[in-house]
Amino acid sequence: MKRTWKVWIATTFGLGVAQPLVSAAEPMPTPVPAVAPAGDMAPPIAVAPAAGNEAAVPVVNVPSGREFMQAGANPPRFAAPSQWGRPNPYFPCPPQPSPYPYPYPYANPNPNPNPNPNPNPNPAMPGAGAGANNNTSFQADRGGTDAAQTNSPNMFGDLFGAKASIISLPGVVSRTMPGILTGRIGSVTAVPTPPIPPLPGQLTIQTPAPAVIGVSGFTQTVPFILNGSPIHEQVVAVGVPINNSPNSARIVNELSTRFAPGTPGFALAAATEKAANPQATLNSITFGPVTAVFNGNQIVYTSTISDTVSTSQATNIRYSVPTPGAGGVVGLLKVSEDNSPFPRDRVIFTYDYFNNVPLGTGGLPVNRYQFGFEKTLLQGRMSFEVRVPFASTLSSNSALNGEQLGTEFGNVRLLGKALFYKGSVMNVSGGLGISLPTADDIAVGDGAGNQLIHINNKSVQLAPFLAAIYTPNDKLFVQAWYGFTFDTGGNGVQVNPTIFGTGPNIGSLTSPSLMTVDAQLGYWIYQSQTGRIRGVAPFLELHYAGDISKGTLLQANNFLIGDVTTYNEFNITAGFTSRIGQNTTLAVAAAAPLLGQTARTFDYQIGVRLNWYFGYTARQRAGGMTPNSF
């Protein structure tokens, strides 16, 4: 019975027992000291014979940390130092330093009685001898692809979000502008009281005196009576203007009084403006400095007119509303953005600047940030990810007459991923992204304190995907993503019934279903096992997103809201990624649309991706281990 469990232990630990082990009751041999040679292997231990004239059997350490017996003339005997310093016949020796960068190399015992014929010339570097399996490359030795997969970069990404819904509102466009009377001459004409003295001389108009107001281009005049004190003018000669008339202010006041709103003069001017522009409404008339002249019979005072009118016309106001189902004012998060087909343990930070995003009445800049983490499960076969986005963008409470910017919280995105197929150069994974309605509702007002439209944020977005990565060697990497985005329920829309004559609830707004395709090609141009920068790889990406089903279009009287355009976006991204130390990656890139103005959600994008790896992934990166799969 004793020998049975001893044999089981020996077999379990790979001791290669040829004959029964020495029992614990047998005398324990005393190890013979030996001089250690220079090399990465532990020296053979010479074991004293158990009895009689038996020769010692050498025991050789191999890189796996286990000891294998060399065949001898006598029964082999296993002897390992115990924790008390005495040989222990039942347990393997403590593991020796291994030259491999992964924990469990596939090594066979060396049958040569001299396992290290070429001593290590540098004792400070174990395994550097001529006969050792040196591993100074970026890859592990097992096929040269383990570290290539473990250290493969993430997809950078490109998408801001689905196009905003277009609101078409009935409205009135009004503007104030100069009327057709501006620049014309207004005049006051009166007859001086006789006798007329020789000129130069002073002329006098005794009051009350009849006078007439006229406007150039008018066929009608406005008669009135000059009252007040007499009017005196110093006249040089007939037809010579009097530029600095002492009665200028008095004449301007008379003109303003006769053309004030409600007077016959104002009605005449308003009718003249209306005849020229039926949409014009006279607001006011003003008069400039006065010039006087004597024509031989009358004194004529003239002044330049300025008037303003308002014009208005019915129109439809178009306003781009970022519907919550399309990511709202923060934007939609793609499953491929800053992601890898491999499940990983990491902390995530991303920043993107999007130029000229079609929000509001025109284009706006958007600065978007994301914080998140990914955690692996089942020894790296699966992972769970959380992304929390926010952005400096159009306010979720905006107005038609002004685009207010603000900091907005976006829809939190959850993602589950599993590595389904594991190969030496090709790996395939899949999963599901879920966008939760955590962003604010969208509201649009008229700028005067009245809310016109309110869009609830209630719908959950689902994004199933497949992803594949190809790493034929330790430098080249290619990955592709194929996925869909579905709006599961739509978001309710309410309008102001006072303004639109219907409502408040007019239906549910559903975003278009999208298909997305992403591809990345990159190459490590620099790699190192030491130093701050351990790898640099430029990459190029192509991204396509198109709708496979249209969103809803809601209508209430003259009000329209919905996604009325076809979504078809094709972008290119170029940049580089770098490994900083062992567990940090930093990527910087820029993206630009390849199609026309109507098929884009931004003019250009500049972004940064920062990832810090921990846990199981950090151990993989340190050891060049290949990721696990189902």
Side-chain angles (χ1 to χ4, degrees):
M1 186 66 181
K2 280 185 179 181
R3 296 188 180 276
T4 301
W5 68 263
K6 294 174 187 175
V7 171
W8 179 85
I9 292 178
T11 304
T12 301
F13 286 94
L15 303 182
V17 176
Q19 294 189 22
L21 293 175
V22 179
S23 69
E26 295 174 335
M28 187 64 67
T30 303
V32 177
V35 178
D40 57 336
M41 297 294 186
I45 302 176
V47 182
N53 296 320
E54 295 177 349
V57 180
V59 181
V60 179
N61 286 324
V62 295
S64 65
R66 297 174 179 173
E67 294 187 341
F68 294 84
M69 305 302 298
Q70 303 300 324
N74 297 307
R77 183 171 301 178
F78 180 82
S82 70
Q83 59 180 325
W84 298 283
R86 299 179 58 193
N88 190 329
Y90 307 120
F91 297 94
C93 290
Q96 300 298 316
S98 170
Y100 294 89
Y102 43 89
Y104 303 110
Y106 296 102
N108 292 323
N110 185 355
N112 190 341
N114 183 8
N116 190 17
N118 299 302
N120 182 1
N122 185 0
M125 297 180 62
N133 183 7
N134 295 329
N135 183 23
T136 59
S137 69
F138 184 73
Q139 291 295 350
D141 288 339
R142 292 177 54 190
T145 59
D146 293 351
Q149 296 172 1
T150 302
N151 295 296
S152 60
N154 297 334
M155 177 76 71
F156 192 87
D158 72 311
L159 187 68
F160 173 78
K163 283 193 173 181
S165 295
I166 303 298
I167 290 180
S168 178
L169 297 171
V172 175
V173 175
S174 299
R175 64 172 182 160
T176 300
M177 55 186 279
I180 64 170
L181 298 181
T182 297
R184 294 192 184 187
I185 302 300
S187 63
V188 174
T189 302
V191 177
T193 303
I196 303 299
L199 299 179
Q202 178 176 286
L203 301 184
T204 302
I205 301 175
Q206 296 291 341
T207 58
V212 176
I213 291 178
V215 175
S216 59
F218 283 17
T219 58
Q220 293 178 297
T221 58
V222 179
F224 72 102
I225 301 298
L226 276 172
N227 293 307
S229 60
I231 297 176
H232 303 283
E233 289 291 348
Q234 193 69 33
V235 179
V236 175
V238 175
V240 177
I242 306 170
N243 294 322
N244 297 316
S245 171
N247 301 294
S248 178
R250 181 174 179 178
I251 298 301
V252 168
N253 182 65
E254 290 289 348
L255 288 169
S256 299
T257 301
R258 305 305 175 217
F259 282 91
T263 63
F266 188 88
L268 180 61
T272 303
E273 293 286 357
K274 188 74 73 173
N277 181 5
Q279 303 297 329
T281 300
L282 180 63
N283 294 329
S284 62
I285 300 178
T286 58
F287 297 88
V290 170
T291 298
V293 65
F294 178 59
N295 61 13
N297 294 314
Q298 301 165 319
I299 299 177
V300 181
Y301 295 94
T302 58
S303 175
T304 302
I305 298 174
S306 297
D307 74 331
T308 59
V309 296
S310 295
T311 62
S312 61
Q313 61 182 15
T315 184
N316 284 329
I317 301 174
R318 293 175 64 86
Y319 190 83
S320 297
V321 176
T323 55
V329 293
V330 176
L332 186 67
L333 304 185
K334 250 185 180 180
V335 292
S336 62
E337 182 179 340
D338 192 26
N339 212 338
S340 169
F342 292 117
R344 288 173 169 172
D345 291 305
R346 59 186 178 126
V347 177
I348 306 164
F349 170 77
T350 74
Y351 164 76
D352 289 290
Y353 170 78
F354 298 92
N355 178 260
N356 197 29
V357 177
L359 299 175
T361 57
L364 296 177
V366 173
N367 293 275
R368 186 171 72 186
Y369 306 83
Q370 295 180 54
F371 291 94
F373 69 91
E374 182 180 2
K375 185 68 183 72
T376 60
L377 306 170
L378 302 178
Q379 293 184 321
R381 293 175 173 85
M382 298 180 64
S383 69
F384 175 75
E385 178 187 307
V386 178
R387 297 278 186 101
V388 180
F390 64 95
S392 171
T393 179
L394 178 71
S395 173
S396 57
N397 289 282
S398 56
L400 296 179
N401 64 343
E403 296 165 333
Q404 181 179 355
L405 299 179
T407 300
E408 295 289 333
F409 188 78
N411 291 331
V412 171
R413 206 276 307 283
L414 309 179
L415 188 141
K417 179 171 54 181
L419 189 61
F420 295 124
Y421 173 76
K422 173 71 182 72
S424 60
V425 296
M426 177 67 75
N427 295 270
V428 180
S429 66
L432 178 66
I434 304 174
S435 292
L436 304 179
T438 55
D440 291 338
D441 296 348
I442 302 296
V444 179
D446 61 0
N450 300 312
Q451 188 177 95
L452 300 178
I453 307 105
H454 185 97
I455 308 174
N456 301 323
N457 184 19
K458 300 294 183 183
S459 178
V460 174
Q461 299 279 319
L462 298 182
F465 68 90
L466 287 175
I469 187 166
Y470 175 67
T471 52
N473 52 53
D474 65 346
K475 294 183 180 295
L476 180 67
F477 54 90
V478 180
Q479 64 172 302
W481 293 69
Y482 180 68
F484 298 89
T485 300
F486 301 103
D487 190 340
T488 60
N491 298 289
V493 179
Q494 297 86 41
V495 299
N496 190 324
T498 303
I499 296 176
F500 298 105
T502 186
N505 297 312
I506 64 170
S508 181
L509 191 64
T510 302
S511 299
S513 298
L514 300 180
M515 178 185 71
T516 59
V517 181
D518 307 273
Q520 181 193 64
L521 172 66
Y523 191 84
W524 290 102
I525 60 175
Y526 169 76
Q527 299 176 109
S528 174
Q529 287 183 318
T530 60
R532 177 63 62 182
I533 304 299
R534 300 194 179 184
V536 176
F539 61 83
L540 185 69
E541 298 176 356
L542 292 176
H543 308 278
Y544 172 78
D547 51 16
I548 56 176
S549 68
K550 298 293 184 183
T552 54
L553 180 64
L554 302 179
Q555 182 173 1
N557 293 335
N558 294 326
F559 167 71
L560 293 174
I561 182 172
D563 197 332
V564 296
T565 59
T566 300
Y567 189 79
N568 187 36
E569 190 167 11
F570 187 43
N571 301 327
I572 186 171
T573 302
F576 70 90
T577 186
S578 59
R579 292 183 62 206
I580 303 175
Q582 185 64 47
N583 296 319
T584 303
T585 60
L586 175 67
V588 179
L594 295 177
L595 302 181
Q597 190 67 40
T598 59
R600 60 178 63 182
T601 56
F602 57 87
D603 282 350
Y604 65 86
Q605 168 194 357
I606 299 174
V608 176
R609 308 284 184 263
L610 181 64
N611 289 265
W612 177 73
Y613 299 92
F614 64 94
Y616 187 82
T617 303
R619 294 192 295 273
Q620 285 181 318
R621 296 170 72 88
M625 298 162 56
T626 180
N628 291 324
S629 67
F630 287 99

